[in-house]
Amino acid sequence: MSEKIETLRRLQSIDSKLKRLEGDKLYRAHDIEKKKGEIKKKRDELADIVRDIKNYQKSIGMKELELKTKEGEIDKLNVQMNQAKTNKEFSAFKTEIGGKEADKSLIEDAILGMITKLEEMQQRQSTFEKEIAHEEVLLIELQKKVETDMKAMDAEIAALKEKRNKFASLLDNNTLQQYNRLTNNKDGIAVVGVVNKVCQSCFMSVTSQTINLLMSNKDITYCHSCGRILYLDDGGNDREEL
């Protein structure tokens, strides 16, 4: 393998790692935004619960006012019944009071049911508040972890860029431009091996003439199918690229 091809392979290895690290940085930043989104969703749900509780408390208040009104009517009828002058009047008041008492009982049952439901709503509010508090603690911990990871990745990226500049300086401008063009147009893979006369990128067979050119190590050879730079992979090129 020529020194130029070896340099290109090392350059490609560095670029692949740089691309992966940049992707990892975006992914870690996304982790924070995702956690913030989860907290916001819970806060929105909590706001809905609080609003529903306030509205329900107003409904209970209206029902309690209805109960007081009914009690007032009963008290007034009791006074009138005690002032009745005939048994018929007394009996009429008593019957009416009985109906009011039944209505009052229904209202009281409704209030008790509403209070039970209100307590359940308040319990749900409390649960959401605890969950949000816990998620906010997790967010702070995640932010610290991501900050540490980002610093480590930035340091690794800086070191890789320094190595990249070193290897890029070993190449002539034309070769470097060709490599950069292929990297941009071929999903970051510009240099590929040939195994058993097959390009390991497009998996198309290469000609005997191409094999002879690769064996001569005289110049850069391109795949006639995918256009990538080729080298003969004899299985001994799997060492650490950097």
Side-chain angles (χ1 to χ4, degrees):
M1 184 184 299
S2 68
E3 289 185 6
K4 183 180 288 187
I5 292 296
E6 179 63 19
T7 299
L8 286 169
R9 290 182 67 239
R10 290 177 180 270
L11 194 61
Q12 179 169 272
S13 178
I14 291 171
D15 285 341
S16 294
K17 291 183 178 181
L18 283 170
K19 184 178 180 180
R20 174 181 56 79
L21 285 167
E22 293 294 347
D24 288 346
K25 286 182 66 177
L26 290 175
Y27 184 80
R28 297 300 283 144
H30 175 70
D31 285 344
I32 292 177
E33 293 307 312
K34 181 180 178 182
K35 178 61 70 176
K36 287 181 177 179
E38 291 171 353
I39 292 174
K40 182 181 182 303
K41 182 179 178 181
K42 282 189 175 292
R43 284 193 172 279
D44 290 343
E45 290 182 52
L46 177 60
D48 289 341
I49 292 171
V50 171
R51 185 188 65 247
D52 290 344
I53 286 174
K54 288 181 178 179
N55 290 336
Y56 207 67
Q57 286 173 328
K58 289 180 181 178
S59 296
I60 292 175
M62 292 175 64
K63 187 62 70 173
E64 288 175 337
L65 180 60
E66 183 182 349
L67 177 62
K68 288 182 179 179
T69 301
K70 191 65 65 178
E71 288 174 340
E73 292 174 355
I74 291 171
D75 289 341
K76 183 178 179 180
L77 286 170
N78 276 320
V79 171
Q80 292 175 332
M81 183 179 67
N82 291 331
Q83 295 175 347
K85 296 180 179 179
T86 65
N87 288 335
K88 183 178 180 181
E89 287 180 348
F90 184 88
S91 179
F93 282 123
K94 189 173 183 63
T95 299
E96 188 175 358
I97 290 172
K100 298 286 186 181
E101 289 285 0
D103 293 341
K104 175 188 171 186
S105 179
L106 291 174
I107 296 171
E108 288 173 336
D109 289 343
I111 291 173
L112 287 174
M114 294 175 74
I115 290 174
T116 299
K117 184 177 178 180
L118 176 63
E119 290 173 348
E120 292 173 354
M121 295 169 70
Q122 290 172 330
Q123 180 60 45
R124 188 161 179 253
Q125 175 187 352
S126 176
T127 299
F128 262 80
E129 288 171 344
K130 290 176 182 178
E131 288 177 356
I132 290 171
H134 178 66
E135 290 296 322
E136 287 177 336
V137 170
L138 293 180
L139 173 60
I140 292 172
E141 293 175 353
L142 177 62
Q143 287 173 324
K144 291 179 180 178
K145 180 67 168 59
V146 169
E147 183 179 357
T148 300
D149 292 345
M150 287 290 194
K151 287 180 180 179
M153 285 187 283
D154 284 339
E156 188 175 357
I157 287 171
L160 286 170
K161 285 183 176 179
E162 186 176 344
K163 287 184 178 180
R164 189 189 193 284
N165 290 336
K166 182 187 73 172
F167 285 113
S169 68
L170 300 176
L171 299 169
D172 59 88
N173 288 335
N174 182 60
T175 299
L176 187 58
Q177 287 176 3
Q178 286 287 82
Y179 166 80
N180 289 333
R181 179 183 63 79
L182 286 169
T183 299
N184 292 332
N185 296 331
K186 302 292 184 178
D187 297 324
I189 304 299
V191 187
V192 296
V194 173
V195 178
N196 296 327
K197 295 185 178 182
V198 174
C199 170
Q200 296 302 293
S201 177
C202 64
F203 297 102
M204 298 295 291
S205 297
V206 298
T207 65
S208 297
Q209 182 182 1
T210 299
I211 296 296
N212 290 333
L213 287 172
L214 290 171
M215 292 178 67
S216 70
N217 286 328
K218 289 182 179 179
D219 202 357
I220 290 179
T221 303
Y222 298 91
C223 176
H224 291 296
S225 297
C226 67
R228 291 178 172 86
I229 298 170
L230 299 176
Y231 67 90
L232 285 176
D233 189 349
D234 58 4
N237 300 309
D238 295 330
R239 63 185 178 279
E240 174 60 36
E241 296 296 330
L242 302 180

